[in-house]
């Protein structure tokens, strides 16, 4: 069985709503809505700014909840590698400030 079939893809490159029914426990109708709303085109970020911002907000939230001490999350992102994925795909799959 090919990887696409295991992931619930009906036709190549198209996610079948059945994937969301079996994996996420939603109704078939909700699975169809998810597929239709989300679409099938991947988007690779050209930078990590939004990911770093989201991670920093999460760090602050965990600090407020008493789980961890807040820290500057910039130290866990190695920006030397942030453009590799976006540069390896066609322009139509890039998302970000310079796409």
């Amino acid at each position: 069985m090919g990887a696409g079939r295991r992931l619930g893809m009906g036709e190549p490159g198209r996610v079948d709503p059945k994937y969301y029914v079996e994996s996420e426990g939603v109704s078939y109708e909700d699975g169809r809505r998810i597929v239709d709303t989300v679409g099938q085109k991947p988007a690779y970020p050209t930078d990590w700014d939004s990911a770093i911002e989201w991670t920093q907000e999460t760090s602050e939230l965990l600090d407020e909840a008493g789980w961890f001490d807040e820290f500057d999350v910039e130290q866990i992102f190695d920006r030397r590698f942030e453009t590799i994925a976006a540069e390896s795909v066609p322009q139509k799959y890039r998302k970000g400030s310079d796409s």
Side-chain angles (χ1 to χ4, degrees):
M1 179 182 289
R5 180 60 63 194
R6 284 194 305 273
L7 292 174
M9 294 182 175
E11 58 190 81
R14 177 91 174 137
V15 175
D16 190 310
K18 182 177 160 186
Y19 166 79
Y20 292 102
V21 173
E22 294 174 357
S23 174
E24 305 302 320
V26 301
S27 69
Y28 186 84
E29 293 76 24
D30 284 342
R32 166 61 51 208
R33 183 184 50 76
I34 292 167
V35 168
D36 292 343
T37 302
V38 173
Q40 302 303 310
K41 186 175 103 173
Y44 295 90
T46 56
D47 62 56
W48 291 345
D49 293 343
S50 61
I52 292 171
E53 180 181 346
W54 181 83
T55 306
Q56 187 64 53
E57 290 170 0
T58 302
S59 172
E60 293 166 8
L61 180 64
L62 291 170
D63 175 52
E64 290 171 14
W67 287 92
F68 299 101
D69 291 335
E70 181 184 340
F71 68 98
D72 179 10
V73 301
E74 186 79 38
Q75 63 187 323
I76 63 173
F77 288 86
D78 189 339
R79 286 187 176 263
R80 294 176 299 169
F81 303 102
E82 75 182 309
T83 61
I84 292 174
E87 290 172 353
S88 67
V89 297
Q91 183 70 31
K92 67 181 180 178
Y93 296 115
R94 296 178 192 173
K95 167 182 99 168
S97 58
D98 64 352
S99 58

